[in-house]
Amino acid sequence: PTSASAHTGRGNALLLLKQFVGAADSYDAALALKPATRYIRGQRLFAKLNICAWDGIEPEIAAMAQAIQDGNYTTMPFAALTAFDSAYLHRIVAERFATAQFPAQEDLGPIPPRLRRDRIRIGYFSADFHDHPVARLMAEVFERHDRATVEIVAFSYGPPIVDAMRSRLEAAFDRFFDVHHLGDREIAAA
């Protein structure tokens, strides 16, 4: 009962279960114990918005916007999308979240300069290069790239499922690499 971390974890679990009232209550308890907990205000607001708990919402959103501009880790990116209609705030939140969650790893060293090419090279990384809703939505995008100006390369880190969509996607790319068996460092080095 005295652990802000436990209340936050409970709130996160309840949020995933779409039990928004319980999630909001858990976040309230965590905030009472440790008001500076990262992302908790955004998670709490997201839970409240899902149950249409509008009382006092405008000052809360304004305070969160100010906290974001002041450099605080107030909310996660998806929760910010429900709270703010501001590309500026969304960018700050996303950059701050990405930097905190995925800090730069300098041990691979700098990317060496490459010779200038006639075509721009674009790499697509996905776990969904098979019959999956994302693949269905993106297949035509891959197929319609202007091959005179763009070279596209796929890095599939998902399951090596062989189906009609996988065959279609493999044909859509200039090169298709199945890297599901490699670790992050090996993929980055490649």
Side-chain angles (χ1 to χ4, degrees):
T2 60
S3 169
S5 179
H7 286 291
T8 300
R10 181 176 187 272
N12 292 340
L14 291 171
L15 195 67
L16 288 172
L17 294 170
K18 299 186 183 328
Q19 295 180 16
F20 301 114
V21 173
D25 291 343
S26 292
Y27 293 138
D28 283 338
L31 276 168
L33 293 166
K34 190 176 175 187
T37 301
R38 277 189 176 188
Y39 312 123
I40 191 128
R41 292 186 187 281
Q43 294 298 89
R44 179 179 170 272
L45 179 64
F46 182 75
K48 287 176 62 176
L49 290 173
N50 273 281
I51 56 175
C52 301
W54 309 117
D55 292 340
I57 206 85
E58 288 181 18
E60 188 173 338
I61 290 172
M64 280 182 54
Q66 186 59 55
I68 290 166
Q69 292 178 65
D70 291 344
N72 296 314
Y73 292 83
T74 307
T75 185
M76 289 190 256
F78 287 117
L81 290 173
T82 64
F84 311 109
D85 185 20
S86 166
Y88 171 73
L89 290 176
H90 293 163
R91 180 177 177 178
I92 292 172
V93 168
E95 287 176 349
R96 194 170 291 143
F97 181 80
T99 300
Q101 296 298 114
F102 310 103
Q105 295 184 7
E106 304 297 332
D107 55 335
L108 288 173
I111 297 173
R114 306 277 177 151
L115 295 175
R116 190 161 178 83
R117 302 175 187 275
D118 292 336
R119 298 190 300 165
I120 297 168
R121 182 183 291 169
I122 301 173
Y124 288 94
F125 292 77
S126 180
D128 303 325
F129 288 135
H130 55 90
D131 191 15
H132 183 278
V134 172
R136 290 180 187 193
L137 291 170
M138 291 297 297
E140 191 174 350
V141 172
F142 302 139
E143 293 166 343
R144 289 184 172 259
H145 278 296
D146 177 5
R147 290 310 212 284
T149 60
V150 177
E151 174 187 357
I152 60 171
V153 181
F155 296 89
S156 176
Y157 59 87
I161 297 171
V162 178
D163 59 19
M165 180 56 74
R166 174 68 165 237
S167 297
R168 178 181 174 187
L169 293 172
E170 287 180 359
F173 286 92
D174 294 298
R175 291 184 292 155
F176 192 101
F177 296 103
D178 184 350
V179 296
H180 81 278
H181 60 286
L182 300 176
D184 292 347
R185 185 173 313 286
E186 293 170 299
I187 293 169

PDB file of all heavy atoms in Angstrom, residues 39 64 68-69 72-81 84 86-99:
ATOM      1  N   TYR A  39       5.613   9.550 -16.353  1.00  0.00           N
ATOM      2  CA  TYR A  39       4.495   9.198 -17.236  1.00  0.00           C
ATOM      3  C   TYR A  39       3.159   8.994 -16.536  1.00  0.00           C
ATOM      4  O   TYR A  39       2.149   8.781 -17.199  1.00  0.00           O
ATOM      5  CB  TYR A  39       4.819   7.944 -18.081  1.00  0.00           C
ATOM      6  CG  TYR A  39       6.164   7.985 -18.743  1.00  0.00           C
ATOM      7  CD1 TYR A  39       7.095   6.983 -18.515  1.00  0.00           C
ATOM      8  CD2 TYR A  39       6.513   9.021 -19.594  1.00  0.00           C
ATOM      9  CE1 TYR A  39       8.343   7.010 -19.127  1.00  0.00           C
ATOM     10  CE2 TYR A  39       7.752   9.062 -20.213  1.00  0.00           C
ATOM     11  CZ  TYR A  39       8.665   8.048 -19.973  1.00  0.00           C
ATOM     12  OH  TYR A  39       9.888   8.074 -20.580  1.00  0.00           O
ATOM     13  N   MET A  64      -0.304  19.642 -17.631  1.00  0.00           N
ATOM     14  CA  MET A  64       0.553  18.652 -18.291  1.00  0.00           C
ATOM     15  C   MET A  64       1.323  19.273 -19.445  1.00  0.00           C
ATOM     16  O   MET A  64       2.512  19.002 -19.623  1.00  0.00           O
ATOM     17  CB  MET A  64      -0.284  17.476 -18.805  1.00  0.00           C
ATOM     18  CG  MET A  64      -0.644  16.479 -17.724  1.00  0.00           C
ATOM     19  SD  MET A  64      -1.577  15.081 -18.368  1.00  0.00           S
ATOM     20  CE  MET A  64      -0.524  14.500 -19.664  1.00  0.00           C
ATOM     21  N   ILE A  68       5.372  19.359 -19.697  1.00  0.00           N
ATOM     22  CA  ILE A  68       6.106  18.838 -20.847  1.00  0.00           C
ATOM     23  C   ILE A  68       7.098  19.888 -21.342  1.00  0.00           C
ATOM     24  O   ILE A  68       8.268  19.596 -21.581  1.00  0.00           O
ATOM     25  CB  ILE A  68       5.131  18.426 -21.974  1.00  0.00           C
ATOM     26  CG1 ILE A  68       4.349  17.184 -21.560  1.00  0.00           C
ATOM     27  CG2 ILE A  68       5.878  18.187 -23.288  1.00  0.00           C
ATOM     28  CD1 ILE A  68       3.144  16.902 -22.428  1.00  0.00           C
ATOM     29  N   GLN A  69       6.647  21.122 -21.465  1.00  0.00           N
ATOM     30  CA  GLN A  69       7.525  22.195 -21.934  1.00  0.00           C
ATOM     31  C   GLN A  69       8.640  22.489 -20.935  1.00  0.00           C
ATOM     32  O   GLN A  69       9.717  22.954 -21.321  1.00  0.00           O
ATOM     33  CB  GLN A  69       6.705  23.442 -22.228  1.00  0.00           C
ATOM     34  CG  GLN A  69       5.783  23.239 -23.425  1.00  0.00           C
ATOM     35  CD  GLN A  69       4.932  24.450 -23.710  1.00  0.00           C
ATOM     36  OE1 GLN A  69       5.465  25.488 -24.067  1.00  0.00           O
ATOM     37  NE2 GLN A  69       3.628  24.302 -23.569  1.00  0.00           N
ATOM     38  N   ASN A  72       9.643  17.820 -18.130  1.00  0.00           N
ATOM     39  CA  ASN A  72       9.253  16.676 -17.305  1.00  0.00           C
ATOM     40  C   ASN A  72       8.770  15.507 -18.166  1.00  0.00           C
ATOM     41  O   ASN A  72       8.254  15.693 -19.263  1.00  0.00           O
ATOM     42  CB  ASN A  72       8.140  17.081 -16.326  1.00  0.00           C
ATOM     43  CG  ASN A  72       8.632  18.115 -15.341  1.00  0.00           C
ATOM     44  OD1 ASN A  72       9.702  17.980 -14.780  1.00  0.00           O
ATOM     45  ND2 ASN A  72       7.856  19.156 -15.144  1.00  0.00           N
ATOM     46  N   TYR A  73       8.920  14.324 -17.634  1.00  0.00           N
ATOM     47  CA  TYR A  73       8.447  13.101 -18.285  1.00  0.00           C
ATOM     48  C   TYR A  73       7.022  12.847 -17.798  1.00  0.00           C
ATOM     49  O   TYR A  73       6.767  12.007 -16.954  1.00  0.00           O
ATOM     50  CB  TYR A  73       9.354  11.923 -17.933  1.00  0.00           C
ATOM     51  CG  TYR A  73      10.728  12.051 -18.526  1.00  0.00           C
ATOM     52  CD1 TYR A  73      11.723  12.810 -17.905  1.00  0.00           C
ATOM     53  CD2 TYR A  73      11.040  11.416 -19.720  1.00  0.00           C
ATOM     54  CE1 TYR A  73      12.985  12.929 -18.457  1.00  0.00           C
ATOM     55  CE2 TYR A  73      12.297  11.530 -20.282  1.00  0.00           C
ATOM     56  CZ  TYR A  73      13.262  12.288 -19.639  1.00  0.00           C
ATOM     57  OH  TYR A  73      14.506  12.399 -20.201  1.00  0.00           O
ATOM     58  N   THR A  74       6.096  13.578 -18.358  1.00  0.00           N
ATOM     59  CA  THR A  74       4.732  13.631 -17.863  1.00  0.00           C
ATOM     60  C   THR A  74       3.830  12.578 -18.464  1.00  0.00           C
ATOM     61  O   THR A  74       2.930  12.070 -17.819  1.00  0.00           O
ATOM     62  CB  THR A  74       4.139  15.024 -18.159  1.00  0.00           C
ATOM     63  OG1 THR A  74       5.035  15.995 -17.635  1.00  0.00           O
ATOM     64  CG2 THR A  74       2.796  15.218 -17.527  1.00  0.00           C
ATOM     65  N   THR A  75       4.056  12.250 -19.731  1.00  0.00           N
ATOM     66  CA  THR A  75       3.172  11.325 -20.423  1.00  0.00           C
ATOM     67  C   THR A  75       3.927  10.565 -21.489  1.00  0.00           C
ATOM     68  O   THR A  75       4.990  10.989 -21.932  1.00  0.00           O
ATOM     69  CB  THR A  75       1.965  12.075 -21.044  1.00  0.00           C
ATOM     70  OG1 THR A  75       1.062  11.123 -21.603  1.00  0.00           O
ATOM     71  CG2 THR A  75       2.403  13.054 -22.111  1.00  0.00           C
ATOM     72  N   MET A  76       3.351   9.460 -21.889  1.00  0.00           N
ATOM     73  CA  MET A  76       3.883   8.687 -23.006  1.00  0.00           C
ATOM     74  C   MET A  76       3.222   9.174 -24.302  1.00  0.00           C
ATOM     75  O   MET A  76       2.164   9.802 -24.260  1.00  0.00           O
ATOM     76  CB  MET A  76       3.624   7.203 -22.791  1.00  0.00           C
ATOM     77  CG  MET A  76       4.475   6.629 -21.673  1.00  0.00           C
ATOM     78  SD  MET A  76       4.385   4.833 -21.622  1.00  0.00           S
ATOM     79  CE  MET A  76       3.305   4.613 -20.233  1.00  0.00           C
ATOM     80  N   PRO A  77       3.828   8.872 -25.443  1.00  0.00           N
ATOM     81  CA  PRO A  77       3.321   9.417 -26.702  1.00  0.00           C
ATOM     82  C   PRO A  77       1.855   9.115 -27.018  1.00  0.00           C
ATOM     83  O   PRO A  77       1.118  10.016 -27.409  1.00  0.00           O
ATOM     84  CB  PRO A  77       4.248   8.789 -27.749  1.00  0.00           C
ATOM     85  CG  PRO A  77       5.523   8.572 -27.016  1.00  0.00           C
ATOM     86  CD  PRO A  77       5.119   8.186 -25.629  1.00  0.00           C
ATOM     87  N   PHE A  78       1.410   7.882 -26.852  1.00  0.00           N
ATOM     88  CA  PHE A  78       0.032   7.583 -27.238  1.00  0.00           C
ATOM     89  C   PHE A  78      -0.977   8.263 -26.326  1.00  0.00           C
ATOM     90  O   PHE A  78      -2.032   8.704 -26.785  1.00  0.00           O
ATOM     91  CB  PHE A  78      -0.214   6.075 -27.311  1.00  0.00           C
ATOM     92  CG  PHE A  78       0.433   5.447 -28.517  1.00  0.00           C
ATOM     93  CD1 PHE A  78       1.417   4.496 -28.374  1.00  0.00           C
ATOM     94  CD2 PHE A  78       0.074   5.828 -29.801  1.00  0.00           C
ATOM     95  CE1 PHE A  78       2.030   3.927 -29.479  1.00  0.00           C
ATOM     96  CE2 PHE A  78       0.676   5.270 -30.916  1.00  0.00           C
ATOM     97  CZ  PHE A  78       1.664   4.315 -30.757  1.00  0.00           C
ATOM     98  N   ALA A  79      -0.667   8.373 -25.055  1.00  0.00           N
ATOM     99  CA  ALA A  79      -1.566   9.091 -24.149  1.00  0.00           C
ATOM    100  C   ALA A  79      -1.604  10.573 -24.514  1.00  0.00           C
ATOM    101  O   ALA A  79      -2.650  11.215 -24.413  1.00  0.00           O
ATOM    102  CB  ALA A  79      -1.128   8.901 -22.704  1.00  0.00           C
ATOM    103  N   ALA A  80      -0.479  11.116 -24.960  1.00  0.00           N
ATOM    104  CA  ALA A  80      -0.436  12.527 -25.359  1.00  0.00           C
ATOM    105  C   ALA A  80      -1.340  12.797 -26.554  1.00  0.00           C
ATOM    106  O   ALA A  80      -1.922  13.883 -26.675  1.00  0.00           O
ATOM    107  CB  ALA A  80       0.998  12.949 -25.675  1.00  0.00           C
ATOM    108  N   LEU A  81      -1.475  11.821 -27.439  1.00  0.00           N
ATOM    109  CA  LEU A  81      -2.339  12.001 -28.608  1.00  0.00           C
ATOM    110  C   LEU A  81      -3.785  12.255 -28.208  1.00  0.00           C
ATOM    111  O   LEU A  81      -4.507  12.966 -28.902  1.00  0.00           O
ATOM    112  CB  LEU A  81      -2.269  10.771 -29.522  1.00  0.00           C
ATOM    113  CG  LEU A  81      -0.958  10.564 -30.267  1.00  0.00           C
ATOM    114  CD1 LEU A  81      -0.966   9.224 -30.992  1.00  0.00           C
ATOM    115  CD2 LEU A  81      -0.683  11.697 -31.233  1.00  0.00           C
ATOM    116  N   PHE A  84      -3.693  16.231 -26.314  1.00  0.00           N
ATOM    117  CA  PHE A  84      -3.275  17.481 -26.948  1.00  0.00           C
ATOM    118  C   PHE A  84      -3.494  17.454 -28.447  1.00  0.00           C
ATOM    119  O   PHE A  84      -3.235  16.453 -29.091  1.00  0.00           O
ATOM    120  CB  PHE A  84      -1.785  17.751 -26.701  1.00  0.00           C
ATOM    121  CG  PHE A  84      -1.368  17.622 -25.277  1.00  0.00           C
ATOM    122  CD1 PHE A  84      -0.578  16.571 -24.856  1.00  0.00           C
ATOM    123  CD2 PHE A  84      -1.775  18.551 -24.346  1.00  0.00           C
ATOM    124  CE1 PHE A  84      -0.191  16.443 -23.548  1.00  0.00           C
ATOM    125  CE2 PHE A  84      -1.405  18.435 -23.024  1.00  0.00           C
ATOM    126  CZ  PHE A  84      -0.611  17.383 -22.623  1.00  0.00           C
ATOM    127  N   SER A  86      -1.602  19.216 -30.564  1.00  0.00           N
ATOM    128  CA  SER A  86      -0.420  20.040 -30.774  1.00  0.00           C
ATOM    129  C   SER A  86       0.723  19.170 -31.281  1.00  0.00           C
ATOM    130  O   SER A  86       1.272  18.367 -30.524  1.00  0.00           O
ATOM    131  CB  SER A  86      -0.007  20.726 -29.467  1.00  0.00           C
ATOM    132  OG  SER A  86       1.287  21.267 -29.572  1.00  0.00           O
ATOM    133  N   ALA A  87       1.086  19.332 -32.544  1.00  0.00           N
ATOM    134  CA  ALA A  87       2.204  18.582 -33.098  1.00  0.00           C
ATOM    135  C   ALA A  87       3.492  18.894 -32.334  1.00  0.00           C
ATOM    136  O   ALA A  87       4.336  18.023 -32.148  1.00  0.00           O
ATOM    137  CB  ALA A  87       2.369  18.897 -34.580  1.00  0.00           C
ATOM    138  N   TYR A  88       3.613  20.131 -31.872  1.00  0.00           N
ATOM    139  CA  TYR A  88       4.793  20.537 -31.108  1.00  0.00           C
ATOM    140  C   TYR A  88       4.929  19.701 -29.830  1.00  0.00           C
ATOM    141  O   TYR A  88       5.986  19.145 -29.552  1.00  0.00           O
ATOM    142  CB  TYR A  88       4.686  22.031 -30.784  1.00  0.00           C
ATOM    143  CG  TYR A  88       5.723  22.531 -29.820  1.00  0.00           C
ATOM    144  CD1 TYR A  88       7.051  22.679 -30.214  1.00  0.00           C
ATOM    145  CD2 TYR A  88       5.385  22.861 -28.514  1.00  0.00           C
ATOM    146  CE1 TYR A  88       8.011  23.140 -29.327  1.00  0.00           C
ATOM    147  CE2 TYR A  88       6.331  23.319 -27.614  1.00  0.00           C
ATOM    148  CZ  TYR A  88       7.648  23.456 -28.026  1.00  0.00           C
ATOM    149  OH  TYR A  88       8.601  23.901 -27.146  1.00  0.00           O
ATOM    150  N   LEU A  89       3.844  19.592 -29.054  1.00  0.00           N
ATOM    151  CA  LEU A  89       3.893  18.805 -27.820  1.00  0.00           C
ATOM    152  C   LEU A  89       4.079  17.319 -28.120  1.00  0.00           C
ATOM    153  O   LEU A  89       4.821  16.627 -27.421  1.00  0.00           O
ATOM    154  CB  LEU A  89       2.633  19.022 -26.986  1.00  0.00           C
ATOM    155  CG  LEU A  89       2.490  20.397 -26.340  1.00  0.00           C
ATOM    156  CD1 LEU A  89       1.149  20.513 -25.623  1.00  0.00           C
ATOM    157  CD2 LEU A  89       3.638  20.677 -25.378  1.00  0.00           C
ATOM    158  N   HIS A  90       3.414  16.824 -29.168  1.00  0.00           N
ATOM    159  CA  HIS A  90       3.567  15.417 -29.524  1.00  0.00           C
ATOM    160  C   HIS A  90       5.014  15.099 -29.849  1.00  0.00           C
ATOM    161  O   HIS A  90       5.543  14.056 -29.452  1.00  0.00           O
ATOM    162  CB  HIS A  90       2.681  15.062 -30.710  1.00  0.00           C
ATOM    163  CG  HIS A  90       1.226  15.125 -30.403  1.00  0.00           C
ATOM    164  ND1 HIS A  90       0.264  15.171 -31.380  1.00  0.00           N
ATOM    165  CD2 HIS A  90       0.546  15.172 -29.227  1.00  0.00           C
ATOM    166  CE1 HIS A  90      -0.923  15.232 -30.824  1.00  0.00           C
ATOM    167  NE2 HIS A  90      -0.778  15.248 -29.517  1.00  0.00           N
ATOM    168  N   ARG A  91       5.669  16.003 -30.552  1.00  0.00           N
ATOM    169  CA  ARG A  91       7.068  15.767 -30.913  1.00  0.00           C
ATOM    170  C   ARG A  91       7.962  15.753 -29.674  1.00  0.00           C
ATOM    171  O   ARG A  91       8.813  14.871 -29.527  1.00  0.00           O
ATOM    172  CB  ARG A  91       7.547  16.833 -31.893  1.00  0.00           C
ATOM    173  CG  ARG A  91       8.986  16.629 -32.295  1.00  0.00           C
ATOM    174  CD  ARG A  91       9.444  17.628 -33.308  1.00  0.00           C
ATOM    175  NE  ARG A  91      10.853  17.420 -33.595  1.00  0.00           N
ATOM    176  CZ  ARG A  91      11.523  18.101 -34.467  1.00  0.00           C
ATOM    177  NH1 ARG A  91      10.927  19.045 -35.178  1.00  0.00           N
ATOM    178  NH2 ARG A  91      12.797  17.859 -34.670  1.00  0.00           N
ATOM    179  N   ILE A  92       7.763  16.708 -28.787  1.00  0.00           N
ATOM    180  CA  ILE A  92       8.574  16.750 -27.565  1.00  0.00           C
ATOM    181  C   ILE A  92       8.403  15.459 -26.780  1.00  0.00           C
ATOM    182  O   ILE A  92       9.382  14.844 -26.342  1.00  0.00           O
ATOM    183  CB  ILE A  92       8.187  17.963 -26.682  1.00  0.00           C
ATOM    184  CG1 ILE A  92       8.590  19.266 -27.357  1.00  0.00           C
ATOM    185  CG2 ILE A  92       8.840  17.856 -25.302  1.00  0.00           C
ATOM    186  CD1 ILE A  92       8.071  20.502 -26.635  1.00  0.00           C
ATOM    187  N   VAL A  93       7.154  15.046 -26.584  1.00  0.00           N
ATOM    188  CA  VAL A  93       6.871  13.831 -25.816  1.00  0.00           C
ATOM    189  C   VAL A  93       7.503  12.618 -26.479  1.00  0.00           C
ATOM    190  O   VAL A  93       8.152  11.797 -25.820  1.00  0.00           O
ATOM    191  CB  VAL A  93       5.346  13.641 -25.644  1.00  0.00           C
ATOM    192  CG1 VAL A  93       5.019  12.261 -25.105  1.00  0.00           C
ATOM    193  CG2 VAL A  93       4.770  14.716 -24.736  1.00  0.00           C
ATOM    194  N   ALA A  94       7.348  12.480 -27.788  1.00  0.00           N
ATOM    195  CA  ALA A  94       7.882  11.321 -28.496  1.00  0.00           C
ATOM    196  C   ALA A  94       9.407  11.284 -28.439  1.00  0.00           C
ATOM    197  O   ALA A  94      10.005  10.231 -28.188  1.00  0.00           O
ATOM    198  CB  ALA A  94       7.398  11.315 -29.940  1.00  0.00           C
ATOM    199  N   GLU A  95      10.045  12.429 -28.651  1.00  0.00           N
ATOM    200  CA  GLU A  95      11.508  12.472 -28.600  1.00  0.00           C
ATOM    201  C   GLU A  95      12.026  12.157 -27.209  1.00  0.00           C
ATOM    202  O   GLU A  95      12.983  11.385 -27.055  1.00  0.00           O
ATOM    203  CB  GLU A  95      12.012  13.839 -29.058  1.00  0.00           C
ATOM    204  CG  GLU A  95      11.895  14.056 -30.550  1.00  0.00           C
ATOM    205  CD  GLU A  95      12.316  15.446 -30.993  1.00  0.00           C
ATOM    206  OE1 GLU A  95      12.510  16.340 -30.135  1.00  0.00           O
ATOM    207  OE2 GLU A  95      12.432  15.654 -32.217  1.00  0.00           O
ATOM    208  N   ARG A  96      11.396  12.714 -26.201  1.00  0.00           N
ATOM    209  CA  ARG A  96      11.824  12.481 -24.820  1.00  0.00           C
ATOM    210  C   ARG A  96      11.632  11.017 -24.444  1.00  0.00           C
ATOM    211  O   ARG A  96      12.490  10.405 -23.814  1.00  0.00           O
ATOM    212  CB  ARG A  96      11.037  13.402 -23.877  1.00  0.00           C
ATOM    213  CG  ARG A  96      11.618  13.488 -22.493  1.00  0.00           C
ATOM    214  CD  ARG A  96      10.959  14.597 -21.689  1.00  0.00           C
ATOM    215  NE  ARG A  96      11.336  15.880 -22.243  1.00  0.00           N
ATOM    216  CZ  ARG A  96      10.519  16.933 -22.330  1.00  0.00           C
ATOM    217  NH1 ARG A  96       9.294  16.872 -21.870  1.00  0.00           N
ATOM    218  NH2 ARG A  96      10.934  18.063 -22.849  1.00  0.00           N
ATOM    219  N   PHE A  97      10.498  10.451 -24.832  1.00  0.00           N
ATOM    220  CA  PHE A  97      10.219   9.047 -24.526  1.00  0.00           C
ATOM    221  C   PHE A  97      11.226   8.135 -25.228  1.00  0.00           C
ATOM    222  O   PHE A  97      11.792   7.226 -24.617  1.00  0.00           O
ATOM    223  CB  PHE A  97       8.786   8.693 -24.950  1.00  0.00           C
ATOM    224  CG  PHE A  97       8.400   7.271 -24.663  1.00  0.00           C
ATOM    225  CD1 PHE A  97       8.022   6.894 -23.391  1.00  0.00           C
ATOM    226  CD2 PHE A  97       8.418   6.320 -25.674  1.00  0.00           C
ATOM    227  CE1 PHE A  97       7.661   5.583 -23.114  1.00  0.00           C
ATOM    228  CE2 PHE A  97       8.062   5.009 -25.415  1.00  0.00           C
ATOM    229  CZ  PHE A  97       7.682   4.644 -24.131  1.00  0.00           C
ATOM    230  N   ALA A  98      11.463   8.378 -26.516  1.00  0.00           N
ATOM    231  CA  ALA A  98      12.390   7.540 -27.278  1.00  0.00           C
ATOM    232  C   ALA A  98      13.804   7.628 -26.715  1.00  0.00           C
ATOM    233  O   ALA A  98      14.502   6.607 -26.604  1.00  0.00           O
ATOM    234  CB  ALA A  98      12.371   7.940 -28.747  1.00  0.00           C
ATOM    235  N   THR A  99      14.230   8.814 -26.336  1.00  0.00           N
ATOM    236  CA  THR A  99      15.569   8.988 -25.781  1.00  0.00           C
ATOM    237  C   THR A  99      15.710   8.265 -24.445  1.00  0.00           C
ATOM    238  O   THR A  99      16.739   7.643 -24.176  1.00  0.00           O
ATOM    239  CB  THR A  99      15.889  10.486 -25.612  1.00  0.00           C
ATOM    240  OG1 THR A  99      15.811  11.108 -26.899  1.00  0.00           O
ATOM    241  CG2 THR A  99      17.272  10.696 -25.039  1.00  0.00           C
TER     242      THR A  99
END
